Amino acid sequence: GAGVSQSPSNKVTEKGKDVELRCDPISGHTALYWYRQSLGQGLEFLIYFQGNSAPDKSGLPSDRFSAERTGGSVSTLTIQRTQQEDSAVYLCASSAGQNEKLFFGSGTQLSVL
Amino acid sequence: GQSLEQPSEVTAVEGAIVQINCTYQTSGFYGLSWYQQHDGGAPTFLSYNALDGLEETGRFSSFLSRSDSYGYLLLQELQMKDSASYFCAVRPWGYSTLTFGKGTMLLVSP
């Protein structure tokens, strides 16, 4: 695609429910990143993929968070048993290899009620 | 660890010049990057300084001084559309990911 695509753009869920967030990176980009942004805050790193493997998942805040990437393309971030503190914008980015120029999607606004 | 400090907010008027500073505490990194994010939008890459000195891209310039642990983004001939948040970021040595500052909200008024 022309850019990084994320879906859904907005997700409202109830506390305790599971959610899945999807990211379609730019075609051919081998590196994929998930970040989280709370209101008025910076970007908090969650997990990094190179191809289908995740060499750095140090930013995942708890074992309720997991992510996978298949076919070197689409990635899914899953949050189990959501909590109110999980409410944030979840941003996905991709890059052509390991470099500083990341291309971000518009994010998924997650609201946990 | 890595820590980047930016002012939380900067205000300026159209046509003016504004400088957004970024100071950091990190043992070593590949370079300093800047990203722009409009409200509700995706962060977009603006510039990257691998070496000390000034990099110019149109109205925007970015500067890095490793000896001073300091960098800045300079925006000239400000326009209303420049109102956005600006983030500095570094990729520390040995890491594959960018660490971002908390961002500076730039408000441009007529």
Side-chain angles (χ1 to χ4, degrees):
Chain A
V4 177
S5 177
Q6 292 188 245
S7 60
S9 55
N10 282 282
K11 176 71 176 178
V12 179
T13 190
E14 294 179 350
K15 178 181 172 182
K17 301 278 190 182
D18 298 352
V19 295
E20 285 190 352
L21 312 179
R22 177 187 168 104
C23 173
D24 275 286
I26 291 174
S27 178
H29 279 190
T30 58
L32 186 147
Y33 311 80
W34 284 97
Y35 283 84
R36 178 168 72 173
Q37 185 174 32
S38 301
L39 188 63
Q41 297 296 306
L43 284 72
E44 175 191 3
F45 167 73
L46 297 177
I47 187 169
Y48 155 66
F49 286 92
Q50 183 61 241
N52 290 336
S53 62
D56 188 351
K57 52 180 78 171
S58 62
L60 294 177
S62 76
D63 59 7
R64 296 186 296 104
F65 289 72
S66 63
E68 65 174 11
R69 189 180 185 194
T70 56
S73 181
V74 172
S75 177
T76 302
L77 176 70
T78 301
I79 309 174
Q80 296 178 309
R81 305 181 303 280
T82 52
Q83 303 294 312
Q84 288 183 332
E85 62 262 28
D86 299 334
S87 296
V89 176
Y90 288 81
L91 291 162
C92 175
S94 68
S95 68
Q98 189 170 289
N99 59 48
E100 275 60 26
K101 188 171 183 178
L102 271 57
F103 294 82
F104 282 87
S106 294
T108 294
Q109 173 75 63
L110 176 65
S111 301
V112 182
L113 304 180
Chain B
Q2 306 87 38
S3 170
L4 298 103
E5 298 293 328
Q6 307 178 233
S8 59
E9 187 174 304
V10 172
T11 58
V13 296
E14 268 188 306
I17 299 173
V18 72
Q19 178 174 312
I20 300 174
N21 297 325
C22 175
T23 58
Y24 55 85
Q25 294 180 5
T26 183
S27 55
F29 59 95
Y30 296 99
L32 182 69
S33 303
W34 288 92
Y35 283 77
Q36 178 192 59
Q37 185 181 31
H38 286 99
D39 193 30
T44 56
F45 173 84
L46 285 179
S47 67
Y48 174 62
N49 291 68
L51 304 174
D52 282 9
L54 193 66
E55 293 282 342
E56 298 182 63
T57 309
R59 295 188 296 114
F60 294 1
S61 303
S62 56
F63 174 82
L64 173 63
S65 169
R66 290 177 187 268
S67 60
D68 295 323
S69 298
Y70 164 72
Y72 65 72
L73 180 68
L74 189 74
L75 298 88
Q76 303 183 72
E77 301 171 21
L78 280 174
Q79 302 175 10
M80 297 293 290
K81 68 178 182 179
D82 297 329
S83 292
S85 291
Y86 294 83
F87 296 87
C88 59
V90 297
R91 183 162 67 92
W93 288 339
Y95 285 78
S96 303
T97 57
L98 290 178
T99 297
F100 287 84
K102 292 190 183 300
T104 298
M105 182 178 292
L106 171 64
L107 302 172
V108 181
S109 57

